[in-house]
Structures are given as C-alpha cells and as structure tokens.
Amino acid sequence: MPDVHLEVVNQGGSAPAGPGDAGWAVETALDVQYAHAVAPEAKILVVEANSASLGDLSAAVDYARHRPEVSVISLSWGTAEFPQELSFDRFLTTPAGHRGLTFVAASGDGGAGTLWPSASPNVLSVGGTALALTASGGYGAEVGWAGSGGGLSVFEREPAFQQVVQSSGLRSTPDVAYDAAPETGFRVYRGGWQTVGGTSAGAPQWAGLVALAEEKRAARGLGPLNQAQSLVYGLPASDFHDVTLGYSGYFAGPGYDLVTGRGSPVADRVINDLSRPITPHLGGTFGGRFVFVGGLPYRVAGTTA
C-alpha cells in the first residue's frame, strides 16, 4: 500500500499540543488505518478536539466542514439524544459555497437505542454486523451484531428519503451496516497489534467507499455527492448484503431493519452506483478526502476517555 497522506490538527486548525489521550488514540488509529485500507490514495485529515465535551467536538466538526478540500467527514463518537440536538444539527451541513459534504457516523455499540449525531438526518448512520469469512477469505455469512445501535429517534423527524422503508414520523437508524463484532473485528497497530470492533470501525470504512465514489464522479465530470445518506435508499437492493438474522434489542430481517439498515455494502457496486447521476430518494417505491473528528472505539461525548 502507498504511504498515508496524513495531516493532524487541533479543533482550531493548529498543531496539536500535549501527549493526547490514550483511549481516543486507539480510535484514531482504527479510523486512519482502515480508511487508508479502503481508499489508499485518499488524503486524511485528523481533527483532534480539545476534550470529549460536545462543545469541543462540535467545534472540531465545524472546523472540518469549512476546510475547502474536504468531502467526507467520519464521526466515531456519540452521546445520548437531547432536546437541543436539533440546533446542533447545523454543524452537520455543507457550508454555503462549499463542495457537497457527506457526514458518516457510528450508530453506537450498546445495542438498541439511538444516539446523536447518528440520529441526525444529516448523517449516514452505520450499524454493525458479525461477518464470517470462507476458508479462502471470501464473504461467508453475516448476522446483525448484538451491540449495533439503532431505533427511532426521540427528537429527530423522519426524513423524506426514509419514507420508502418506514412511516413512523421519526428518524430511524442505522441507514447501513458494516462488520463490527469484536470477535470478527479488525487488527489495529498502535505500539503493538490489537483486535478492535464496534460500529466505529464501519464509519471510516463507509467514508472510504464514499470517497472512492467521489473520485470516480470527478473522473466522469460529475459534481460531488452531498449527504449520501439521502442517496443510499435509491440504490438497488443488489448493492447490499441483506442481513436477515441477528438481535440487538430489535430483530434483523429481510429488507430495512433497525439493526443493519439496508445491510452491508457490496463495495464495488455501491461505489459504481454512487459515482453515477443519482436523484435523492424522496419517498415512493424502490424500482476525495477524509476527515476524522473525535475520538476506544465509539467514544462518548461529554465524558472523559
């Protein structure tokens, strides 16, 4: 693999000071190493918040979204939903005059239940599965992971693009899924090898898929994606592994569910279809560059690491 193109700044855009936080460093290592594995040529910007407070994390997101070259922002942290989250959703939007942005967030590792920012309709929410490979290393079988966060939001209203899969009136999560179970997790190097799981492994890798689609769109003379979560509901069913077994407090089942969303990606198909002209799905019937903000896998805002 090529060397990683990496830049690290604090939430104000300056060089980080101090030794950093050991717990969040594991998250950062996971995010960078597996985004690099999915999209080896992508430039990666790590924005380190000054603390795990929601104010500092939001300031870091705000810095990231205003960097002109940014196209994908990956968030592997969350907090319990709160009434004021609707006002914080503004940090998860594309600034005026900026190229279109996609925000990708881990749905959480505590099983059924919703967290912010995953619950925001402004993000692509990534749930978790447990993936088994064949003896030759190919795709074998997949079930919904017991720790996969998901459910109906307490405060966020149902976005139009979800009307094809549910009609609760509330935003539901996740939108999609990725391998997350620690026993089928990912080897991460940070002073030594360790195996790491969680939905925060899926968020940066889904961000990688979006970045690869952005690259292909640019080669085709198409504009950047903007809020790819509104587009995944318009992708064909063949773009996903439909995960129909598993329990997180909710049961996985055929089609969309509150454990795995639409399912895990058939990566080449997702990339190819996102790199073509797509209209956001606004109801009816189915017919770059990375930024990591925050950061042990799936960190909780408002706490110490």
Side-chain angles (χ1 to χ4, degrees):
M1 293 182 65
D3 290 341
V4 64
H5 306 288
L6 181 64
E7 179 184 356
V8 183
V9 299
N10 64 20
Q11 66 189 51
S14 302
D21 184 280
W24 286 65
V26 175
E27 175 63 54
T28 304
L30 170 68
D31 290 357
V32 170
Q33 290 170 31
Y34 279 90
H36 181 55
V38 172
E41 297 290 349
K43 295 179 180 179
I44 298 177
L45 170 67
V46 177
V47 181
E48 295 186 355
N50 294 343
S51 76
S53 73
L54 189 57
D56 281 340
L57 287 166
S58 297
V61 174
D62 197 39
Y63 171 80
R65 74 190 184 109
H66 281 92
R67 284 279 293 254
E69 71 275 38
V70 166
S71 61
V72 188
I73 298 178
S74 179
L75 309 167
S76 290
W77 55 270
T79 188
E81 287 199 78
F82 56 103
Q84 297 80 13
E85 70 187 50
L86 300 180
S87 66
F88 279 82
D89 283 345
R90 71 183 188 277
F91 293 110
L92 306 171
T93 60
T94 302
H98 197 287
R99 61 179 293 164
L101 292 175
T102 293
F103 298 81
V104 186
S107 72
D109 299 340
T114 53
L115 299 163
W116 190 89
S118 170
S120 173
N122 298 341
V123 309
L124 177 67
S125 174
V126 181
T129 70
L131 173 66
L133 302 180
T134 64
S136 61
Y139 183 90
E142 200 167 11
V143 299
W145 179 45
S148 180
L152 298 177
S153 172
V154 181
F155 302 109
E156 304 276 4
R157 304 304 301 172
E158 176 188 316
F161 58 78
Q162 281 198 316
Q163 292 174 3
V164 68
V165 295
Q166 58 108 348
S167 57
S168 68
L170 297 170
R171 162 69 157 144
S172 63
T173 63
D175 298 307
V176 293
Y178 208 90
D179 186 24
E183 61 270 23
T184 61
F186 301 90
R187 296 287 283 168
V188 173
Y189 189 84
R190 183 177 176 270
W193 290 101
Q194 56 188 300
T195 300
V196 179
T199 56
S200 56
Q205 292 183 77
W206 259 100
L209 300 180
V210 173
L212 291 172
E214 293 275 22
E215 182 181 38
K216 293 193 74 170
R217 290 179 66 84
R220 290 172 170 170
L222 298 174
L225 295 168
N226 187 43
Q227 295 197 331
Q229 70 278 6
S230 66
L231 305 177
V232 298
Y233 290 89
L235 298 179
S238 58
D239 284 10
F240 300 91
H241 300 286
D242 187 8
V243 182
T244 61
L245 298 175
Y247 180 74
S248 66
Y250 295 107
F251 286 99
Y256 179 84
D257 59 66
L258 301 179
V259 186
T260 65
R262 292 206 66 195
S264 65
V266 181
D268 57 334
R269 295 178 183 175
V270 167
I271 293 166
N272 286 334
D273 287 340
L274 284 178
S275 64
R276 303 178 189 280
I278 308 172
T279 300
H281 212 298
L282 301 178
T285 304
F286 278 120
R289 174 166 179 144
F290 293 99
V291 178
F292 299 99
V293 181
L296 213 65
Y298 189 82
R299 299 302 282 180
V300 178
T303 68
T304 56

